[in-house]
Amino acid sequence: MTRQLEDEKLIILDFGSQYTQLIARRIRELKVYCEILSYDTDPDVIKDANPKGIILSGGPSSVYGADAPLPHARIFQLGIPILGICYGLQVIGHFLAGEVDKAAKREFGSAKLKIDDNTDLFETLCGEIDVWMSHGDHLTALPVGFEKLAHTENAEIAAVADRRRQIYGIQFHPEVVHTPKGSTILKNFLFNICDCEGNWTPEAFVSSMVEQIRTTVKKGKVLCGLSGGVDSAVTAGLIRKAIGDQLIPVFVDNGLLRKGEARQVRDTFKEWNLRFIDASQTFLSALEGKSEPEEKRKIIGHVFIDVFEAEAEKLGKIDFLAQGTLYPDVIESVSTGGPSQTIKSHHNVGGLPEKMKLKLVEPLRELFKDEVRAVGRVLGLPDHMINRHPFPGPGLGIRIIGDLSKERLDLLREADFIFIDELRKSGWYDKTWQALAVLLPVQSVGVMGDERTYEFTIALRAVNSLDGMTANWTPLPYELLGRISNRIINEVRGINRVVYDISSKPPATIEWE
């Protein structure tokens, strides 16, 4: 299902910057809806979308490189305000008769931006501000019709404007926290130059989405996979608000759930006429002997669809399947067509069969996780559901490295339960964005009492993040980690070693597979 977009939106053209998703987050924080599209999106497609403005993202390339990602020249003739960031500024210079050259001294890190003109883009800012630079090329001659707005010690032209055509460019990154006044600059572009009003709110989203669901589904029925996580719960809540009993929530026990999760979900949603399917053996049989992460994800996705289509046949005519797909799932699973690469397929994006009888309804497909939680609050969902840590659709299937078996799943369930239990007791659960345990295919020697053991290793992982696109490992207290480790080793037979993962994303991902 494709949502009817708001009248007020911004388009970000992605040139491969590691910060592209962060630009989107900053724009949405200013209550303006935005979409990320490939750098080479046809200008007619952009024009038809009727955006209030276009942002050209940064990127690692040089505009003069053999394989440089370059947009269609016609984007500069659409009459839509444009802001180029870093590489985006160089793209402007390249197309509009400026000069871009290798910088005599590259700038990576903090710099002092000296503002020469504090109207429109730099309104309320003056003098000198801290900015974050990350470039090897720079603009050495102004494009035709442009004037300089700011400079740094190493970049004589660090911000430019053609006010007649409403095209602006800056050499630094306003979206990162290292540019403290960056939000002011983005706000000025949105409201001073693009004439945005800032109507992207959870309430507006709910109202718009409810209407679209009604228009799309009409009198049809929708099957919704309800796992108990925030994504599926908000998905079901939105659809239920739109079409009431036409929603058929289904809980599938795939045998890959956390300890006690099936019972908890049944209790929480008992008033929603929840249908319960125990398909654990079906999933485990399909996964037997499979160890490659992508293969496991795709198998889980295919079996999930098979189970739902079988259930749909039992229920009579059902045309739609609802899923809690989020924007980061889409971004990571399907490259925008630009230089960014697919990181991994998500079971509810890349793991679906090409031919599927049910039509997809994905009302959260354009939202980040914190936006989903905000929508959940508008819908009146309980806090324990809204604040639940993210849990992947493939469940514990991607938290066991290597082959799956019921025995290994049981080991992981017990260890994971202890980890989450201790986080809740200590108050760290609500201070952490996501926590998980991973069972490694590594056995090592240990000593318990006077006996030698040769058992498995559990890796614990806890991270903090805003939307899952980037994440930092959480510095849990040593005392807490020690308590968790002791409980796991003492209470879970088959595990004699616990390690803590202190890698961030990037370069690692949050899940191990």
Side-chain angles (χ1 to χ4, degrees):
M1 182 177 82
T2 302
R3 192 171 62 82
Q4 182 179 351
L5 301 180
E6 276 71 12
D7 292 334
E8 179 174 282
K9 62 180 170 291
L10 203 84
I11 283 177
I12 301 169
L13 296 186
D14 177 23
F15 292 88
S17 170
Q18 61 180 317
Y19 301 134
T20 299
Q21 289 79 33
L22 189 53
I23 299 172
R25 291 297 304 113
R26 296 291 177 257
I27 298 300
R28 292 190 184 190
E29 285 169 4
L30 293 167
K31 298 183 179 180
V32 174
Y33 176 75
C34 64
E35 273 188 356
I36 299 172
L37 301 179
S38 170
Y39 69 92
D40 58 354
T41 298
D42 189 307
D44 290 336
V45 172
I46 297 173
K47 184 177 180 180
D48 289 344
N50 193 31
K52 301 284 282 187
I54 300 169
I55 288 183
L56 311 181
S57 84
S61 304
S62 169
V63 290
Y64 295 117
D67 299 317
L70 296 172
H72 295 276
R74 285 193 295 118
I75 68 166
F76 299 107
Q77 300 166 10
L78 296 176
I80 299 170
I82 291 175
L83 173 65
I85 295 175
C86 198
Y87 179 82
L89 166 64
Q90 295 158 24
V91 167
I92 291 170
H94 178 69
F95 275 93
L96 302 180
E99 291 184 15
V100 179
D101 297 298
K102 292 289 183 186
K105 183 178 180 181
R106 297 182 299 173
E107 281 190 299
F108 294 96
S110 185
K112 298 291 185 181
L113 182 79
K114 298 174 177 60
I115 298 171
D116 302 309
D117 184 335
N118 70 338
T119 55
D120 52 34
L121 192 62
F122 291 108
E123 187 177 274
T124 75
L125 303 175
C126 58
E128 189 175 89
I129 63 172
D130 294 322
V131 298
W132 186 259
M133 292 285 194
S134 180
H135 67 99
D137 294 350
H138 66 173
L139 203 63
T140 54
L142 286 169
V144 175
F146 282 75
E147 57 188 292
K148 185 177 75 171
L149 302 183
H151 66 282
T152 70
E153 183 178 345
N154 295 315
E156 182 57 31
I157 303 173
V160 301
D162 180 336
R163 292 189 169 95
R164 183 180 63 83
R165 289 186 287 179
Q166 291 188 299
I167 301 175
Y168 295 75
I170 52 179
Q171 187 59 72
F172 56 92
H173 289 274
E175 67 274 22
V176 301
V177 295
H178 309 290
T179 303
K181 300 294 185 182
S183 289
T184 299
I185 296 167
L186 291 174
K187 183 178 180 180
N188 287 340
F189 177 68
L190 295 174
F191 297 100
N192 292 351
I193 298 164
C194 299
D195 292 326
C196 291
E197 295 181 5
N199 57 18
W200 174 248
T201 64
E203 292 80 7
F205 174 82
V206 169
S207 176
S208 171
M209 183 50 63
V210 163
E211 284 303 311
Q212 192 192 347
I213 292 169
R214 287 172 179 163
T215 301
T216 301
V217 175
K218 297 183 174 65
K219 294 183 179 180
K221 292 186 177 180
V222 181
L223 270 186
C224 178
L226 190 53
S227 68
V230 61
D231 303 339
S232 65
V234 173
T235 296
L238 268 172
I239 297 172
R240 198 164 189 266
K241 183 177 178 66
I243 60 173
D245 291 340
Q246 290 171 246
L247 170 72
I248 303 175
V250 178
F251 175 75
V252 177
D253 184 350
N254 58 12
L256 307 171
L257 303 173
R258 285 174 154 160
K259 183 178 178 180
E261 195 164 23
R263 183 183 66 256
Q264 183 185 47
V265 172
R266 294 179 79 168
D267 290 345
T268 301
F269 298 102
K270 60 185 177 183
E271 295 181 0
W272 288 23
N273 298 319
L274 181 69
R275 298 179 69 88
F276 180 86
I277 302 173
D278 184 354
S280 54
Q281 193 54 53
T282 303
F283 279 87
L284 293 180
S285 295
L287 290 164
E288 186 176 357
K290 308 299 183 184
S291 59
E292 204 280 320
E294 279 296 283
E295 186 178 14
K296 286 196 286 187
R297 284 178 175 271
K298 290 182 184 296
I299 287 171
I300 292 167
H302 281 245
V303 174
F304 179 81
I305 294 300
D306 289 343
V307 169
F308 265 73
E309 289 188 337
E311 187 68 14
E313 288 180 7
K314 294 178 186 176
L315 295 168
K317 181 174 173 56
I318 291 182
D319 296 317
F320 299 94
L321 170 66
Q323 291 196 133
T325 306
L326 304 192
Y327 204 26
D329 299 338
V330 177
I331 294 168
E332 287 194 342
S333 297
V334 185
S335 170
T336 57
S340 304
Q341 293 183 339
T342 297
I343 298 170
K344 60 186 176 185
S345 65
H346 290 258
H347 87 289
N348 50 352
V349 181
L352 298 178
E354 291 183 9
K355 293 183 178 180
M356 191 174 66
K357 297 177 183 176
L358 301 175
K359 299 173 185 176
L360 279 179
V361 177
E362 297 176 301
L364 309 181
R365 190 179 175 90
E366 293 149 8
L367 299 188
F368 291 97
K369 178 69 77 172
D370 57 329
E371 293 172 327
V372 173
R373 290 195 168 106
V375 168
R377 292 186 184 96
V378 171
L379 292 171
L381 297 178
D383 285 343
H384 72 84
M385 186 187 302
I386 293 172
N387 296 327
R388 182 180 186 247
H389 283 186
F391 187 67
L396 302 183
I398 55 168
R399 292 180 179 175
I400 294 177
I401 310 303
D403 293 345
L404 292 175
S405 68
K406 186 178 184 305
E407 292 71 26
R408 290 188 177 187
L409 282 164
D410 288 341
L411 280 179
L412 180 56
R413 276 193 193 93
E414 294 299 326
D416 175 85
F417 176 80
I418 291 169
F419 186 25
I420 300 302
D421 183 52
E422 288 293 337
L423 288 178
R424 289 189 185 280
K425 287 178 179 177
S426 63
W428 274 91
Y429 185 87
D430 291 331
K431 299 177 187 176
T432 303
W433 196 77
Q434 185 173 357
L436 58 126
V438 180
L439 182 66
L440 305 184
V442 175
Q443 290 178 278
S444 61
V445 174
V447 178
M448 291 190 181
D450 294 325
E451 295 183 6
R452 175 187 183 273
T453 62
Y454 190 61
E455 297 177 336
F456 286 103
T457 300
I458 282 285
L460 303 178
R461 181 146 172 74
V463 299
N464 282 317
S465 176
L466 284 176
D467 48 45
M469 298 307 302
T470 61
N472 291 321
W473 64 276
T474 303
L476 295 177
Y478 292 149
E479 181 182 352
L480 175 59
L481 286 171
R483 186 162 63 249
I484 294 166
S485 175
N486 287 339
R487 276 196 63 188
I488 290 174
I489 291 171
N490 288 331
E491 297 177 27
V492 185
R493 290 184 178 274
I495 296 171
N496 68 355
R497 193 175 298 271
V498 175
V499 299
Y500 189 55
D501 181 352
I502 60 169
S503 49
S504 295
K505 176 185 180 180
T509 54
I510 295 175
E511 299 287 346
W512 278 44
E513 290 192 342

